[in-house]
Amino acid sequence: MQASRARLFKEYKEVQREKAVDPDIQLVCDDSNIFKWTALIKGPSETPYEGGVFQLAFAIPEQYPLLPPQVRFLTKIFHPNVHFKTGEICLDILKNAWSPAWTLQSVCRAIIALMAHPEPDSPLNCDSGNLLRSGDVRGFRSMASMYTRLAAMPKKG
Amino acid sequence: MDSEDDMHDANDVESLEDFYSGDTAASDDDERDFDFAKSDDSDDETFHPQRNYTILSEDDILQLQEEDITKISTVLSISRIQASILLRHYNWSVSKVHDAWFADEESVRKAVGLLEKPVVDPMLNAVEVTCGICFETYPRYRMSAASCGHPFCCSCWTGYISTSINDGPGCLMLRCPKPSCGAAVGQDMINTLASEEDKQKYSRYLLRSYIEDNKKTKWCPAPGCEYAVDFVMGSASFDVCCNCSYNFCWNCTEEAHRPVDCGTVAMWILKNSAESENMNWILANSKPCPKCKRPIEKNQGCMHITCTPPCKFEFCWLCLGAWSDHGERTGGFYACNRYETAKQEGAYDEAERRREMAKNSLERYTHYYERWATNQASRQKALSDLQKMQTEHLEKLSNMQSTPESQLKFITDAWLQIVECRRVLKWTYAYGYYLPENEHAKRQFFEYLQGEAESGLERLHQCAEKELQVFLDAAGPSKDFNEFRTKLAGLTSVTRNYFENLVRALENGLSDVDGHGACSRTQSSKSSGSKSKGGRGKGATSRYESTQWSCKHCTYVNVRSTTECEVCRQRR
């Protein structure tokens, strides 16, 4: 508990210090609980997520960083490796390939990389995975960008 | 004591001569006879095959593991820790390690994570180093690193190792915490950094890995048994007898089931646990309510059925028509001739026939299952009797009959034979169940052999159980004891022969009946009055004609012309 708190505090200070370094990621610690974080990440360019801002929720276990944080999308996203309803993310480094040397910041970077490079062979969102697997890239892109527009962009008017 | 003649006298078995060929010829005195009965005999091989496996205790396993590690470590000139990591990666196969290493050492090193020199060495040029996990800065003597040199503080290492160990045997493949590094973490680091409890768990996993990841070794499946078995691949028999006295099949790790093959056993076990029998029962004994379709069992009473609420539909059991339609027109409430009429017209034939067949197939299964289970129970009882014999009765008997215990070995032998025979007999019922109905000659031959073996075994079991009791209850030495000895030893040997015949025949797929007249011989011998129990089996199954086939999956008996089962729709 103490070790995880200390480590999270260090990450917190690091985030404060380097705010400008990675403009695509904005990590915020909950005001009252250092084990709850949220992040806003920008959809990577040249993907159907471009222009969208996606919110992630981090629930951090007491054994962190020996165990990985639980991360899910709060913003609806159409992506093969993200559960369409719950926002759960299928990413190896959040499961068995976790290493305590990863940080919340690097997890965010990994998720952005996942958005740019979906893995349709281990889908949590089968509809999305099937579109890509059947080679219908155009269909996938238009679905994904529609949801980006609907859920991840500021409402007009 | 001239055992040969006495044995013949003691066993008034009509077919004794056939089976009793030369097994006892070599023996003149009792002592030798009993040793002889135990092993070494070539005839005996069917029951105690030459050992093609080794039972390993924990110490043996550790020693073998050490030897393998030493071999690799010397041949490849690497440390023992590295050798151990390497062997684990290649499932403890020394030859695979050799092949891979000498084919391409560099890629093996990379895949396994054995670095030749550190990739970074920050510990030399800095007094203080930042731990990559807790981000605290420590003097470098408080840091540790795997062969790669990536420094982490000791308490983070301890936590990292402990998390991995408590996560399961994957800890044997632990790598440096730095993502993308991949340097292997060996037992040396575990031993310096982990807690006592974790260290023990780790070595336990290492030991288990040696048995479980190795194709030629397995743990004995008996509950609580700690022995492992090293099996020589390609051996004829899969039967393994562990030091804990549990017999099991190497191939499928079910209980030993020779002469029945693993596939049949798996089917049988699946069948015993499957719901398919329930389904058959429902089909055979119930009719669905014509309105709500729930199955209804009619166990008594009249034909006027009222379905249970909420349905409450009233109908006639015979014609399944609404009860309100019954009356004068149908020939009265209690004489539903609509049924007879409809049946004559053929309207009910199909459903009725189906129920009848399902009922038959259930009965057939029950027949075999009952006998399988009875022999199983009987074997358990014999095992406990044997134990009791060895712990209590033998000593008592020895004192009472003034005979050294070594000369009472024939009793133990008899019981061991009973236990083994019960096991074989049990599995022959699974075999019988799957023996195709239309192979008449094979069935008859099988049932004959099974019947002979079973009646022999019953005699032996009876003798060992009941007749021995007389001597146990007796007040003093009995002069009949020698007679009993020859009888029991004789029965043991005769029964063993019966079972050897049975096992041999089943193992070559009952091929003896193809071609020559073995079948007619067995038939006549059977009708000549041996009280063969196989006859029962025959009686229960003879109504199945070769115009039918029994579904492997649900046992439903289908007509021959169909290619898929009418009940479960699986292909024949």
PDB file of all heavy atoms in Angstrom, chain B residues 96-107:
ATOM      1  N   LYS B  96      17.171 -31.990 -27.270  1.00  0.00           N
ATOM      2  CA  LYS B  96      16.644 -30.808 -27.956  1.00  0.00           C
ATOM      3  C   LYS B  96      17.517 -29.590 -27.668  1.00  0.00           C
ATOM      4  O   LYS B  96      17.770 -28.774 -28.559  1.00  0.00           O
ATOM      5  CB  LYS B  96      15.212 -30.521 -27.509  1.00  0.00           C
ATOM      6  CG  LYS B  96      14.172 -31.108 -28.441  1.00  0.00           C
ATOM      7  CD  LYS B  96      12.804 -30.527 -28.129  1.00  0.00           C
ATOM      8  CE  LYS B  96      11.734 -31.575 -28.193  1.00  0.00           C
ATOM      9  NZ  LYS B  96      10.618 -31.318 -27.291  1.00  0.00           N
ATOM     10  N   VAL B  97      17.969 -29.468 -26.434  1.00  0.00           N
ATOM     11  CA  VAL B  97      18.852 -28.350 -26.093  1.00  0.00           C
ATOM     12  C   VAL B  97      20.117 -28.418 -26.938  1.00  0.00           C
ATOM     13  O   VAL B  97      20.526 -27.429 -27.543  1.00  0.00           O
ATOM     14  CB  VAL B  97      19.200 -28.365 -24.589  1.00  0.00           C
ATOM     15  CG1 VAL B  97      20.304 -27.373 -24.288  1.00  0.00           C
ATOM     16  CG2 VAL B  97      17.966 -28.054 -23.752  1.00  0.00           C
ATOM     17  N   HIS B  98      20.679 -29.614 -27.004  1.00  0.00           N
ATOM     18  CA  HIS B  98      21.894 -29.777 -27.811  1.00  0.00           C
ATOM     19  C   HIS B  98      21.655 -29.354 -29.243  1.00  0.00           C
ATOM     20  O   HIS B  98      22.392 -28.533 -29.810  1.00  0.00           O
ATOM     21  CB  HIS B  98      22.342 -31.244 -27.795  1.00  0.00           C
ATOM     22  CG  HIS B  98      23.067 -31.599 -26.541  1.00  0.00           C
ATOM     23  ND1 HIS B  98      23.311 -32.896 -26.170  1.00  0.00           N
ATOM     24  CD2 HIS B  98      23.583 -30.830 -25.558  1.00  0.00           C
ATOM     25  CE1 HIS B  98      23.955 -32.908 -25.017  1.00  0.00           C
ATOM     26  NE2 HIS B  98      24.134 -31.663 -24.632  1.00  0.00           N
ATOM     27  N   ASP B  99      20.591 -29.903 -29.834  1.00  0.00           N
ATOM     28  CA  ASP B  99      20.310 -29.623 -31.243  1.00  0.00           C
ATOM     29  C   ASP B  99      20.167 -28.124 -31.485  1.00  0.00           C
ATOM     30  O   ASP B  99      20.797 -27.564 -32.386  1.00  0.00           O
ATOM     31  CB  ASP B  99      19.018 -30.338 -31.682  1.00  0.00           C
ATOM     32  CG  ASP B  99      19.206 -31.835 -31.709  1.00  0.00           C
ATOM     33  OD1 ASP B  99      20.371 -32.277 -31.551  1.00  0.00           O
ATOM     34  OD2 ASP B  99      18.209 -32.566 -31.860  1.00  0.00           O
ATOM     35  N   ALA B 100      19.316 -27.496 -30.650  1.00  0.00           N
ATOM     36  CA  ALA B 100      19.025 -26.082 -30.876  1.00  0.00           C
ATOM     37  C   ALA B 100      20.279 -25.240 -30.682  1.00  0.00           C
ATOM     38  O   ALA B 100      20.582 -24.351 -31.480  1.00  0.00           O
ATOM     39  CB  ALA B 100      17.920 -25.624 -29.935  1.00  0.00           C
ATOM     40  N   TRP B 101      21.009 -25.540 -29.635  1.00  0.00           N
ATOM     41  CA  TRP B 101      22.177 -24.735 -29.279  1.00  0.00           C
ATOM     42  C   TRP B 101      23.241 -24.804 -30.355  1.00  0.00           C
ATOM     43  O   TRP B 101      23.784 -23.787 -30.781  1.00  0.00           O
ATOM     44  CB  TRP B 101      22.721 -25.222 -27.938  1.00  0.00           C
ATOM     45  CG  TRP B 101      23.833 -24.377 -27.388  1.00  0.00           C
ATOM     46  CD1 TRP B 101      25.175 -24.542 -27.602  1.00  0.00           C
ATOM     47  CD2 TRP B 101      23.701 -23.253 -26.523  1.00  0.00           C
ATOM     48  NE1 TRP B 101      25.890 -23.597 -26.919  1.00  0.00           N
ATOM     49  CE2 TRP B 101      25.012 -22.786 -26.251  1.00  0.00           C
ATOM     50  CE3 TRP B 101      22.613 -22.601 -25.940  1.00  0.00           C
ATOM     51  CZ2 TRP B 101      25.251 -21.694 -25.420  1.00  0.00           C
ATOM     52  CZ3 TRP B 101      22.860 -21.517 -25.121  1.00  0.00           C
ATOM     53  CH2 TRP B 101      24.159 -21.063 -24.869  1.00  0.00           C
ATOM     54  N   PHE B 102      23.504 -26.025 -30.823  1.00  0.00           N
ATOM     55  CA  PHE B 102      24.582 -26.144 -31.799  1.00  0.00           C
ATOM     56  C   PHE B 102      24.144 -25.713 -33.194  1.00  0.00           C
ATOM     57  O   PHE B 102      24.958 -25.428 -34.056  1.00  0.00           O
ATOM     58  CB  PHE B 102      25.155 -27.567 -31.793  1.00  0.00           C
ATOM     59  CG  PHE B 102      25.872 -27.862 -30.505  1.00  0.00           C
ATOM     60  CD1 PHE B 102      25.444 -28.856 -29.642  1.00  0.00           C
ATOM     61  CD2 PHE B 102      26.986 -27.096 -30.141  1.00  0.00           C
ATOM     62  CE1 PHE B 102      26.092 -29.093 -28.444  1.00  0.00           C
ATOM     63  CE2 PHE B 102      27.643 -27.332 -28.941  1.00  0.00           C
ATOM     64  CZ  PHE B 102      27.196 -28.326 -28.094  1.00  0.00           C
ATOM     65  N   ALA B 103      22.831 -25.653 -33.402  1.00  0.00           N
ATOM     66  CA  ALA B 103      22.347 -25.154 -34.685  1.00  0.00           C
ATOM     67  C   ALA B 103      22.500 -23.638 -34.743  1.00  0.00           C
ATOM     68  O   ALA B 103      22.943 -23.090 -35.762  1.00  0.00           O
ATOM     69  CB  ALA B 103      20.902 -25.548 -34.899  1.00  0.00           C
ATOM     70  N   ASP B 104      22.110 -22.949 -33.680  1.00  0.00           N
ATOM     71  CA  ASP B 104      22.153 -21.489 -33.711  1.00  0.00           C
ATOM     72  C   ASP B 104      22.186 -20.955 -32.281  1.00  0.00           C
ATOM     73  O   ASP B 104      21.157 -20.633 -31.698  1.00  0.00           O
ATOM     74  CB  ASP B 104      20.916 -20.970 -34.460  1.00  0.00           C
ATOM     75  CG  ASP B 104      21.015 -19.462 -34.692  1.00  0.00           C
ATOM     76  OD1 ASP B 104      21.942 -18.828 -34.149  1.00  0.00           O
ATOM     77  OD2 ASP B 104      20.160 -18.948 -35.428  1.00  0.00           O
ATOM     78  N   GLU B 105      23.381 -20.886 -31.742  1.00  0.00           N
ATOM     79  CA  GLU B 105      23.515 -20.495 -30.338  1.00  0.00           C
ATOM     80  C   GLU B 105      22.937 -19.109 -30.087  1.00  0.00           C
ATOM     81  O   GLU B 105      22.227 -18.879 -29.116  1.00  0.00           O
ATOM     82  CB  GLU B 105      24.986 -20.536 -29.922  1.00  0.00           C
ATOM     83  CG  GLU B 105      25.187 -20.096 -28.479  1.00  0.00           C
ATOM     84  CD  GLU B 105      26.642 -20.082 -28.061  1.00  0.00           C
ATOM     85  OE1 GLU B 105      27.416 -20.899 -28.598  1.00  0.00           O
ATOM     86  OE2 GLU B 105      27.001 -19.265 -27.179  1.00  0.00           O
ATOM     87  N   GLU B 106      23.183 -18.221 -31.022  1.00  0.00           N
ATOM     88  CA  GLU B 106      22.794 -16.829 -30.803  1.00  0.00           C
ATOM     89  C   GLU B 106      21.281 -16.679 -30.657  1.00  0.00           C
ATOM     90  O   GLU B 106      20.789 -16.024 -29.736  1.00  0.00           O
ATOM     91  CB  GLU B 106      23.294 -15.974 -31.974  1.00  0.00           C
ATOM     92  CG  GLU B 106      23.343 -14.499 -31.633  1.00  0.00           C
ATOM     93  CD  GLU B 106      23.808 -13.671 -32.823  1.00  0.00           C
ATOM     94  OE1 GLU B 106      24.615 -14.193 -33.626  1.00  0.00           O
ATOM     95  OE2 GLU B 106      23.334 -12.540 -32.947  1.00  0.00           O
ATOM     96  N   SER B 107      20.543 -17.336 -31.571  1.00  0.00           N
ATOM     97  CA  SER B 107      19.091 -17.153 -31.497  1.00  0.00           C
ATOM     98  C   SER B 107      18.513 -17.895 -30.290  1.00  0.00           C
ATOM     99  O   SER B 107      17.512 -17.458 -29.711  1.00  0.00           O
ATOM    100  CB  SER B 107      18.422 -17.610 -32.796  1.00  0.00           C
ATOM    101  OG  SER B 107      18.474 -19.003 -32.899  1.00  0.00           O
TER     102      SER B 107
END
